Amino acid sequence: MLESDLQDKCISHAKNMGVYTIRIQPDGFGLKGIPDLIMCIDGKFVGVELKVGNNTKSPAQRIQAKRIQKAGGLVYEVRTLNEFKKLIKENRE
């Protein structure tokens, strides 16, 4: 599966669940390392980094994740649609 396919499936699921979701598309102007998806789940700020295969977070992605966590937000690395569904469910409880 391509990362873009996973992203489409996750966004579709989030919309069906009524979760506010923004897809981040890097443009080379200050968005380096920002999570692929920014979501608000029942008032919680959640960043989601989507990865497939052996892909890992870049140094810039790790820095941004730490900044989000320091500000009180949550950051997840997701590799499957089931993992994505689980994170939404866990943040709704």
Side-chain angles (χ1 to χ4, degrees):
M1 175 185 297
L2 297 174
E3 194 171 293
S4 60
D5 294 334
L6 177 59
Q7 189 174 71
D8 290 342
K9 289 177 182 182
C10 290
I11 289 170
S12 178
H13 178 72
K15 286 182 180 182
N16 288 337
M17 297 299 293
V19 174
Y20 180 79
T21 305
I22 300 172
R23 176 190 309 218
I24 302 298
Q25 296 180 340
D27 60 8
F29 297 101
L31 294 177
K32 190 173 185 178
I34 299 294
D36 296 312
L37 302 177
I38 301 294
M39 301 170 22
C40 184
I41 304 173
D42 292 348
K44 297 175 188 172
F45 182 96
V46 179
V48 179
E49 193 60 55
L50 301 168
K51 297 294 180 190
V52 295
N54 293 327
N55 291 350
T56 59
K57 287 183 185 175
S58 70
Q61 289 169 329
R62 286 193 283 283
I63 289 168
Q64 292 294 352
K66 286 179 185 176
R67 288 178 178 167
I68 291 168
Q69 290 167 334
K70 185 176 180 183
L74 303 170
V75 181
Y76 294 89
E77 183 175 309
V78 170
R79 294 186 172 276
T80 67
L81 181 58
N82 284 336
E83 286 180 15
F84 184 78
K85 290 178 180 180
K86 182 179 176 185
L87 87 81
I88 290 176
K89 182 179 178 186
E90 288 175 352
N91 282 285
R92 286 216 152 148
E93 296 174 345

